[in-house]
Amino acid sequence: MRVKAIRGVCIGVDRHMKPGDIEDLEAALVVFLVSIGAVEKIPEAPVVAEPELKLDAGKSGKKEK
């Protein structure tokens, strides 16, 4: 889960986040860090399906015999 540091915080052995840093952390750690006001969750961008390309049979570029 991606989070952004609001303030400096330790996230593990020799691992720290400074204000503004973005990290991908385990959910349990995120719950704790949010509860103490150290980080905020970054909402994941929804996956947007691209529209399907439809080709007209007459415009396929192939000549029919």
Side-chain angles (χ1 to χ4, degrees):
M1 185 175 291
R2 294 190 56 83
V3 295
K4 180 178 178 181
I6 298 171
R7 60 181 175 85
V9 64
C10 177
I11 58 172
V13 177
D14 292 329
R15 291 183 64 201
H16 299 86
M17 292 179 71
K18 295 179 282 189
D21 285 351
I22 296 175
E23 289 281 339
D24 191 18
L25 303 174
E26 295 178 17
L29 181 57
V30 171
V31 170
F32 172 71
L33 294 175
V34 168
S35 74
I36 64 170
V39 300
E40 61 186 5
K41 294 179 186 176
I42 298 176
E44 294 183 20
V47 177
V48 179
E50 294 184 24
E52 294 181 22
L53 297 177
K54 295 182 180 180
L55 298 175
D56 292 336
K59 296 182 180 181
S60 64
K62 295 181 181 177
K63 293 184 181 179
E64 295 182 19
K65 293 184 181 181

